[in-house]
Amino acid sequence: MAALGGARRRSLLLLLLGLPSSSYSRPSCVSHTGLIHSAAAIFVVKDANGTACIMANFSAAFTASYDTRSGPKNVTFDLPSNAAVLNSSSCGKEGASDPVLAIAFGRGHELTLNFTRNATRYSVRLMSFIYNLSDTQIFPNASSKDIKTVESATDIRADINKKYRCVSNNQIHMHNVTVTLHDATIQAYLANSSFSKEETRCEQDGPFPTTAPPPPPHPSPSPTPESPSVYKYNVSGTNGTCLLASMGLQLNITYKKKDNTTVTRVLSINPNKTTAGGSCSPQLVTLELRSESVPLLAFQFGMNTSTSRYFLQGIQLNMTLPDARDPTFKAANNSLRALQATVGNSYKCNAEERVQVTEAFSVNIFKVWVQAFQVQGDKFGSVEECQLDENSMLIPIAVGGALAGLVLIVLIAYLIGRKRSHAGYQTI
């Protein structure tokens, strides 16, 4: 493993100019104002035989917000020329681990690129950044001295045996840190221990049309599958069953594809390919569903002790969308108020219910019958019907009442007409 940075090139340039290397003073890598591009550096990862498997040449700037005793503060700093490849970098092993490029600089800061591939493309699946708030040169007056970690998926991807090339700025947002790569050339799974001549350009470099096409008025919906299968789930703890749930589940996920079009994918949960688990606590019950396509779908039920009512409090989804610009899809909401009933009773709804979790994610629940917390004898308690079912029952009652009223009006009109008809034939 080796790192070839601007320091070597700078020394060579100074030597050619006839200047001693000691006459050069490296500027501070911290900037508290604007974003200044640092010199690009080359990072190389080699295997045990000395063959390069990853090469990367880019400059990077970091913008981070952190807390000080006087309040929040923003700082911008560059990846310095003396940044080095860590020994934790790896070429990976086929079917066991993926290639990793880990770059260290300063007092405990580390930028890591985790690669993955399929039959035709490779990508930086995840970028993570570890930073040390005790580094007073970069984080002066920080109120904490902790080591923080942030991470995010990226749009860095290229065809196999081609280098990724992006002259434009490419920003990767990771919570309170933004990493800006500039003039980047990156390639993993190298075939000849060097950058390929062919390249895949990033979207930021264009080319762009002279006039942008109008955005679609609505996301393109995927074909709606049939209603999902209804299945009975249960969660048990040390004190017995804490959750019974019979329901069919369907996920609605809106996202941007790689071609920048917005689509809505509808996915039904198949109980036969799903494992169920969960946990019980006095005021929180969790049902966790896992499958190959959906690594985690969790439902959390909470309880209001003052009103003795339970409700669906939170839903969490973690899954991968292979055709999305950002393949890692995560959504969560812990402030829901759905499927409410009195503790000891069950909640039932034959009508389809839609729970909006986030702007991009909702769940359709079919024929739900659920009871959380006090479940006696593994059986549902007294039923509390949902408002949708009550409304659906009112409709036939109202229609029947209207028809009965109409028949009564017709009958009265008939009798009145008949009486007048007899009055016209009285004997004179």
Side-chain angles (χ1 to χ4, degrees):
M1 304 175 189
L4 305 175
R8 181 177 297 181
R9 292 196 297 269
R10 200 159 43 239
S11 298
L12 180 59
L13 178 62
L14 293 171
L15 190 62
L16 291 172
L17 293 174
L19 296 174
S21 58
S22 60
S23 66
Y24 177 82
S25 175
R26 182 171 62 88
S28 170
C29 66
V30 181
S31 168
H32 296 274
T33 54
L35 185 64
I36 302 173
H37 298 303
S38 60
I42 300 177
F43 303 98
V44 181
V45 178
K46 297 181 179 180
D47 62 17
N49 298 322
T51 304
C53 61
I54 302 174
M55 291 184 66
N57 183 4
F58 57 80
S59 62
F62 303 80
T63 301
S65 62
Y66 67 101
D67 293 327
T68 68
R69 295 177 182 84
S70 58
K73 186 174 183 179
N74 293 327
V75 63
T76 298
F77 52 96
D78 292 332
L79 182 70
S81 59
N82 60 355
V85 175
L86 285 174
N87 289 333
S88 56
S89 300
S90 168
C91 292
K93 293 183 179 180
E94 187 71 28
S97 61
D98 294 323
V100 176
L101 169 60
I103 303 168
F105 65 96
R107 301 177 183 175
H109 313 300
E110 182 178 331
L111 178 67
T112 302
L113 283 68
N114 295 272
F115 294 86
T116 188
R117 65 172 290 175
N118 56 29
T120 59
R121 308 196 85 188
Y122 68 92
S123 64
V124 177
R125 176 182 59 83
L126 189 71
M127 178 181 289
S128 62
F129 181 50
I130 300 173
Y131 59 100
N132 184 7
L133 289 172
S134 64
D135 186 348
T136 56
Q137 183 181 1
I138 294 179
F139 302 102
N141 304 317
S143 56
S144 169
K145 303 300 181 184
D146 295 340
I147 296 176
K148 303 285 188 179
T149 302
V150 291
E151 61 184 25
S152 174
T154 79
D155 61 356
I156 300 173
R157 55 180 60 88
D159 296 330
I160 294 292
N161 295 328
K162 291 185 181 181
K163 61 189 176 187
Y164 166 86
R165 187 78 177 101
C166 195
V167 177
S168 306
N169 287 347
N170 185 7
Q171 292 188 331
I172 296 94
H173 301 283
M174 299 183 284
H175 191 50
N176 61 315
V177 176
T178 297
V179 180
T180 303
L181 301 183
H182 178 73
D183 196 12
T185 305
I186 301 171
Q187 187 172 356
Y189 308 97
L190 291 169
N192 300 310
S193 297
S194 62
F195 284 126
S196 300
K197 293 181 179 180
E198 293 185 283
E199 62 186 26
T200 299
R201 297 302 291 259
C202 64
E203 293 182 3
Q204 291 85 343
D205 282 354
F208 301 103
T210 54
T211 57
H218 299 288
S220 304
S222 302
T224 303
E226 296 179 0
S227 298
S229 302
V230 176
Y231 188 78
K232 187 175 181 180
Y233 307 94
N234 70 79
V235 178
S236 300
T238 55
N239 296 323
T241 301
C242 64
L243 177 71
L244 286 178
S246 175
M247 55 188 174
L249 298 170
Q250 197 175 74
L251 313 181
N252 307 287
I253 305 158
T254 302
Y255 61 96
K256 283 192 174 183
K257 296 178 68 176
K258 294 175 181 177
D259 60 3
N260 220 29
T261 58
T262 302
V263 297
T264 297
R265 179 180 173 186
V266 182
L267 174 66
S268 294
I269 298 298
N270 185 348
N272 298 322
K273 298 181 179 180
T274 302
T275 58
S279 60
C280 306
S281 67
Q283 294 188 9
L284 188 67
V285 172
T286 302
L287 169 65
E288 295 182 350
L289 305 179
R290 301 177 187 272
S291 66
E292 184 176 346
S293 58
V294 181
L296 176 62
L297 176 62
F299 297 84
Q300 290 185 331
F301 290 84
M303 183 200 306
N304 187 330
T305 54
S306 60
T307 61
S308 296
R309 291 182 67 81
Y310 66 86
F311 48 88
L312 178 60
Q313 172 181 303
I315 296 178
Q316 178 184 350
L317 173 66
N318 294 350
M319 68 177 300
T320 300
L321 302 168
D323 61 337
R325 286 189 60 183
D326 184 356
T328 302
F329 184 90
K330 294 183 179 181
N333 188 338
N334 293 316
S335 58
L336 302 174
R337 289 294 183 273
L339 315 185
Q340 300 188 50
T342 303
V343 173
N345 292 349
S346 62
Y347 174 91
K348 191 173 185 180
C349 196
N350 289 315
E352 176 186 344
E353 290 198 69
R354 186 185 184 95
V355 180
Q356 194 71 39
V357 183
T358 65
E359 186 177 350
F361 172 52
S362 63
V363 181
N364 298 334
I365 307 178
F366 295 79
K367 298 184 181 301
V368 61
W369 194 4
V370 64
Q371 183 171 347
F373 298 102
Q374 296 180 14
V375 180
Q376 302 296 330
D378 291 340
K379 295 182 179 180
F380 289 109
S382 301
V383 173
E384 294 186 21
E385 298 280 354
C386 67
Q387 190 65 43
L388 291 172
D389 283 358
E390 292 178 0
N391 292 343
S392 64
M393 291 177 63
L394 289 175
I395 292 174
I397 294 173
V399 171
L403 289 174
L406 182 61
V407 170
L408 184 60
I409 292 171
V410 171
L411 181 61
I412 293 173
Y414 169 75
L415 293 174
I416 293 174
R418 186 175 180 182
K419 184 176 181 181
R420 288 179 178 177
S421 174
H422 282 294
Y425 291 98
Q426 290 181 355
T427 305
I428 299 177

